[in-house]
Amino acid sequence: MSGVLEIKLPKGSILSFGELLLRICPDAGGEWLHDNKLPFFVGGAELNVANALALWQLPSAYFTALPDNAMSAQVIDYLEDKKVDTSSIHKHGDRIGLYYLTRGKDIKNNALIYDRAGSAFAMLKPGQVNWDKVLDGVSWFHFSAICPAISQDVADVCAEVLEVASAKGITISVDLNYRSRLWKYGKQPIDIMPQLVKYADLVMGNVWAAELMLNIPVAPDIHESGQKSIYLKEALQTSETIMAQYPKCKVVANTFRFDAGEGIDYYTALYSGDKLYNSSQYETDKVVDKVGSGDCFMAGLIYGFYNNLDPQQTLEFATAAAYTKLFIEGDATTKTVDQITKAIKL
């Protein structure tokens, strides 16, 4: 039987590792130019996870790099107000990373523009941070495939902290989120990600990300039928292959989010203990904001396993958390545990 992910007492903090970004949101029609108003949100995939966990009353901490200036101080105060522990944030460099995303669009859309070159996080190098100190009291470490996509130095920093976290026996999770507008430094995900995923206890993503990043093939005709049963069969095969190739991995989660006009169809799968669990299916005709839905799913998985819920309970909570995020403007969820629990589709 494959390993089962259990968090044993005493439980420490959950540290999310990644770049804090400001998301700038011009509207598609250009009204922001006439109104002199440009909406923004404080985000970043891993921060979205940290914010959700803090909202759900878990000991959530966050590592990023920010310049040592008044703007960073305001951002840190903002995170502290949300009960996110910011004590390990590394201060150096000159700027906070930005990205521009036309309001209402998906990050996969061509309305996305990154402006994060030379940011404090992008300028991180191995040997700068005392990871023993940062990881003191941490029982769960979360990162995503966005971090090593930034530069070779940041990929090396990821390897550095993962080695220390693994040696300390800290549970490690990774989100295989792919950003096609990153990975511009001469390396492809398959060149980098396998050496990072080997440290993970929980791997989250989808079958296509696993193919791209871990070279685990997906059936070429999978889209022809569009049947849920076919996709779940593929999730099972991908999960089993990940488990075989990465012995430390105990859980694999896959999301399936398909566009349906202006809405989506959404369901998920979780492989644990030699069994594939699948969630209820959710459909909606209208979405407010797709950004952060996957991060909310990841946070839901961490919430479930941290609280020793069974795999099906964990999956249903995470799926409902991700689905309800679609109706919230901004990067992070504002839904409480009780609200999410009530939204679970039985």
Side-chain angles (χ1 to χ4, degrees), residues 144-310:
S144 83
I146 294 176
C147 298
I150 296 171
S151 70
Q152 184 65 62
D153 278 339
V154 177
D156 292 341
V157 170
C158 289
E160 182 182 58
V161 62
L162 287 168
E163 184 175 359
V164 177
S166 184
K168 285 177 170 288
I170 295 170
T171 300
I172 295 170
S173 58
V174 60
D175 181 348
L176 298 180
N177 38 16
Y178 176 63
R179 299 292 181 265
S180 61
R181 293 174 184 265
L182 297 177
W183 296 103
K184 301 298 185 184
Y185 62 93
K187 296 288 181 68
Q188 294 302 311
I190 190 61
D191 300 321
I192 300 293
M193 289 308 300
Q195 293 306 308
L196 304 181
V197 171
K198 71 181 183 182
Y199 294 105
D201 298 277
L202 190 163
V203 176
M204 190 279 270
N206 59 52
V207 295
W208 300 279
E211 181 177 48
L212 183 69
M213 297 190 176
L214 305 178
N215 201 29
I216 296 173
V218 175
D221 59 349
I222 189 174
H223 281 304
E224 289 184 8
S225 71
Q227 291 181 11
K228 184 176 181 179
S229 61
I230 300 297
Y231 289 120
L232 292 176
K233 181 180 177 182
E234 201 70 25
L236 175 60
Q237 293 175 341
T238 294
S239 299
E240 289 175 335
T241 305
I242 290 174
M243 291 279 202
Q245 293 185 7
Y246 302 94
K248 191 170 184 285
C249 181
K250 303 173 184 68
V251 176
V252 179
N254 280 283
T255 62
F256 295 94
R257 193 179 83 181
F258 301 110
D259 291 333
E262 292 187 0
I264 65 156
D265 295 333
Y266 185 72
Y267 55 90
T268 65
L270 184 73
Y271 185 73
S272 174
D274 288 331
K275 181 178 178 180
L276 185 74
Y277 302 83
N278 63 279
S279 74
S280 301
Q281 184 167 334
Y282 295 78
E283 303 92 13
T284 179
D285 295 328
K286 194 75 174 178
V287 169
V288 173
D289 198 334
K290 293 180 180 178
V291 174
S293 176
D295 307 325
C296 202
F297 178 74
M298 184 71 246
L301 294 178
I302 295 173
Y303 176 87
F305 284 112
Y306 191 91
N307 286 305
N308 291 322
L309 302 183
D310 69 42

Side-chain angles (χ1 to χ4, degrees), residues 14 49 51-59 282 296 299-307 309 313-314 316-322 324 328 333-345:
I14 304 161
V49 172
N51 275 327
L53 295 173
L55 177 63
W56 300 338
Q57 307 297 311
L58 292 187
Y282 295 78
C296 202
L301 294 178
I302 295 173
Y303 176 87
F305 284 112
Y306 191 91
N307 286 305
L309 302 183
Q313 288 176 307
T314 296
E316 295 293 359
F317 179 84
T319 307
T324 54
I328 300 169
T333 188
T334 57
K335 296 293 186 182
T336 65
V337 169
D338 186 55
Q339 289 172 319
I340 293 166
T341 302
K342 289 177 179 177
I344 293 174
K345 188 174 179 181

